[in-house]
Amino acid sequence: MLVKQLFKWVLSFFKKESKVLKLKLVSELPKEPIEHVLYLEGNVKEDDYWYALLKCPCGCGDNIMLNLMADSRPCWDVVFKKETFSIYPSIWRKKNCCSHFWLKKGKIIWS
């Protein structure tokens, strides 16, 4: 029993909490995004979005900009279901913090 508790305690330092993101649809991206907010820039009236912007959820403070236009690579898709959103494929930072996560149903899911 003591070993099990010790193991859970050690794992708690490595487990990252799943955070919920708030969605903001904007015609122009902010210069400095707010934590836990995903901004979609585009033509809001026509549901045509070009870019997504968010603060890296690992806490490093970097901004992550995602291309949503299918004619440029790499690109991501935003899927709206009911009152939530998901972004596909996963977001994997190759530089700095090297975070890898999914945005599913408005939540950060760590890989």
Side-chain angles (χ1 to χ4, degrees), residues 1-110:
M1 189 66 148
L2 183 59
V3 173
K4 188 176 179 180
Q5 287 177 334
L6 180 62
F7 185 69
K8 281 185 178 181
W9 178 74
V10 170
L11 280 180
S12 71
F13 289 102
F14 298 100
K15 184 179 178 188
K16 295 181 180 178
E17 295 274 330
S18 168
K19 306 244 190 234
V20 176
L21 292 180
K22 181 179 177 183
L23 181 64
K24 282 203 169 193
L25 307 176
V26 297
S27 57
E28 188 174 319
L29 292 173
K31 290 183 181 183
E32 192 57 39
I34 299 170
E35 280 189 37
H36 313 299
V37 176
L38 175 71
Y39 298 90
L40 295 183
E41 177 189 45
N43 187 336
V44 178
K45 292 178 183 174
E46 295 183 18
D47 286 334
D48 182 26
Y49 301 103
W50 311 310
Y51 296 102
L53 175 67
L54 70 151
K55 282 265 191 212
C56 185
C58 82
C60 70
D62 287 350
N63 295 338
I64 298 175
M65 175 83 76
L66 303 173
N67 171 40
L68 304 177
M69 296 180 285
D71 60 347
S72 299
R73 299 282 181 227
C75 72
W76 286 261
D77 286 323
V78 179
V79 177
F80 297 96
K81 272 196 180 171
K82 297 184 182 178
E83 294 184 15
T84 66
F85 61 91
S86 300
I87 291 187
Y88 299 99
S90 66
I91 299 164
W92 193 344
R93 300 199 59 208
K94 302 290 184 181
K95 297 179 182 176
N96 300 334
C97 68
C98 296
S99 290
H100 185 203
F101 58 93
W102 293 85
L103 287 175
K104 290 188 178 180
K105 297 181 181 176
K107 293 183 180 180
I108 303 290
I109 309 295
W110 293 99

